[in-house]
Amino acid sequence: MKFTAKKTANLLETVMEMYSGVSKQKAKQLISYSRFTIDGVEVKNHPLQVVQAGQVVELEKSVKGEKKVALPSKHNPIAIYFEDDYILVGLKPAGILSCHDRNQETAKSFHKHLEAFMLDRDDKKTRLWPVHRLDKEVEGLIIFAKSEQYQQMIKDIWPTVTKKYLALTEGKPNPESGTIESWLKEDHNHMAVVIKKEEEGSKFAKTDYSYVRREGEFHLLEVTLHTGRKNQIRAHLNFIGCPIVGDRRYGADGTVNRQIRLAAYKLEFRHPASGVLVNLSYNPSNKFFKPSKNQDEQYRII
């Protein structure tokens, strides 16, 4: 849809004028799920984006009602990959906690950023219940429920949820694919330590991996998580001589401060309300695959 702005206003006001009679809440949702150009130049889909009088605004709705999702950025840190009345799946950037941590009172979590975003978007408060967590240093898809009931329903089927990661590693695994099974135990430094036999306080962990391709001096692996132990993938890949790029805590080169190259890039599960198979994935940014060789990376977006 094309529209010539009659007055200088923000994008929210312009959309409300384009769709005469539409509510403010609906206009915000439309903005969130659409692509915009002004005089042929793509602009960020933010309600406060300025539109000058006489400029031509073109709105393109996503195909079949699905949102065209970009990767998080400093201008648009919230990327939602799936949302309905029951659940929401967002893309957590690296460098931020998934959920509130009592030990880090001053750190605002991705959970709280999402709730704030939805309050601004919908003009009403929506409470989200976290279903699982990702390490602070790891980016990727994360599920939140819109009620405690659906949080528990997804947790009940969690072993059946497909959880795949991309890991850029310093070493090439031998063999190129396999399964790592061990017990993990947290040490006094709160690190996950691989042990071969069960001990008091240890937990069983299982990780599948397969080699994808070489990326410069590094190697890209696809990892499937069968158990969700703390730092499981990081500890297991280091155990087989393939520390994740940037993961200095688990054996990586520490001469350059890099973002940890681990991304929870794929989720597949049965929707707890409809039973429909939900299959979600994304491609990390080019920067993910090409770490800096000599510069410290400031990778926190939020």
Side-chain angles (χ1 to χ4, degrees):
M1 178 178 181
K2 288 186 178 181
F3 177 79
T4 301
K6 298 175 182 178
K7 60 182 180 180
T8 298
N10 62 38
L11 189 58
L12 176 62
E13 294 166 333
T14 303
V15 169
M16 291 178 72
E17 189 174 0
M18 292 170 70
Y19 293 87
S20 180
V22 72
S23 69
K24 186 177 180 181
Q25 179 178 337
K26 289 294 184 182
K28 283 188 174 182
Q29 291 178 343
L30 187 61
I31 289 171
S32 178
Y33 285 82
S34 302
R35 173 179 174 270
F36 289 88
T37 61
I38 295 179
D39 290 341
V41 179
E42 187 169 355
V43 296
K44 61 182 181 179
N45 56 339
H46 191 284
L48 298 182
Q49 170 70 43
V50 175
V51 181
Q52 301 292 337
Q55 288 187 314
V56 177
V57 179
E58 185 169 6
L59 177 153
E60 179 185 336
K61 291 183 181 179
S62 300
V63 178
K64 296 182 181 179
E66 295 181 356
K67 184 179 178 184
K68 292 184 177 179
V69 186
L71 296 175
S73 68
K74 289 183 179 179
H75 296 296
N76 293 295
I78 302 298
I80 296 175
Y81 276 68
F82 180 90
E83 183 180 5
D84 61 12
D85 292 338
Y86 309 99
I87 60 177
L88 181 151
V89 181
L91 176 53
K92 184 189 84 68
I96 183 172
L97 294 168
S98 295
C99 310
H100 175 69
D101 187 332
R102 293 179 181 176
N103 297 321
Q104 300 189 46
E105 293 288 346
T106 60
K108 193 171 183 180
S109 66
F110 183 62
H111 179 193
K112 294 305 177 185
H113 276 287
L114 265 178
E115 289 186 333
F117 168 80
M118 295 176 71
L119 175 62
D120 179 64
R121 185 193 70 183
D122 302 336
D123 284 336
K124 66 176 182 178
K125 185 175 181 179
T126 300
R127 184 176 175 186
L128 298 175
W129 279 259
V131 174
H132 61 118
R133 295 173 184 252
L134 297 176
D135 291 347
K136 178 180 178 181
E137 302 86 354
V138 176
E139 68 176 64
L141 299 172
I142 184 168
I143 306 173
F144 294 89
K146 292 188 176 181
S147 71
E148 197 168 10
Q149 175 190 1
Y150 280 93
Q151 178 197 43
Q152 188 57 52
M153 289 174 72
I154 302 174
K155 284 186 174 182
D156 289 343
I157 64 166
W158 194 245
T160 70
V161 175
T162 298
K163 303 168 281 286
K164 291 184 180 290
Y165 291 69
L166 291 176
L168 195 67
T169 64
E170 293 184 355
K172 182 178 181 180
N174 183 19
E176 291 189 355
S177 63
T179 299
I180 308 166
E181 293 182 309
S182 76
W183 297 84
L184 294 179
K185 187 173 183 179
E186 192 171 310
D187 68 9
H188 65 282
N189 291 318
H190 305 293
M191 289 181 62
V193 177
V194 175
I195 55 178
K196 295 183 178 180
K197 295 182 179 180
E198 183 178 9
E199 295 180 4
E200 183 179 353
S202 65
K203 295 180 179 180
F204 177 73
K206 180 179 178 181
T207 307
D208 291 341
Y209 69 90
S210 60
Y211 190 76
V212 179
R213 64 177 182 266
R214 188 176 184 89
E215 284 284 351
E217 61 186 287
F218 304 121
H219 306 273
L220 185 65
L221 310 183
E222 183 184 66
V223 179
T224 301
L225 202 59
H226 291 282
T227 54
R229 310 306 181 198
K230 178 183 176 181
N231 298 167
Q232 175 179 324
I233 296 174
R234 298 162 64 182
H236 269 175
L237 291 185
N238 183 40
F239 177 69
I240 64 169
C242 301
I244 299 170
V245 173
D247 197 357
R248 296 179 294 173
R249 188 170 172 82
Y250 286 92
D253 178 12
T255 58
V256 181
N257 185 16
R258 295 178 171 129
Q259 174 185 341
I260 293 177
R261 273 11 192 230
L262 181 61
Y265 89 106
K266 185 176 179 64
L267 284 171
E268 186 176 288
F269 58 94
R270 289 285 174 187
H271 194 289
S274 67
V276 172
L277 187 66
V278 178
N279 192 324
L280 303 170
S281 63
Y282 81 100
N283 293 317
S285 67
N286 290 334
K287 186 178 178 182
F288 178 92
F289 301 100
K290 302 188 183 302
S292 171
K293 293 184 178 181
N294 50 30
Q295 293 183 345
D296 285 359
E297 294 179 337
Q298 301 297 320
Y299 59 89
R300 179 168 173 171
I301 290 173
I302 300 177

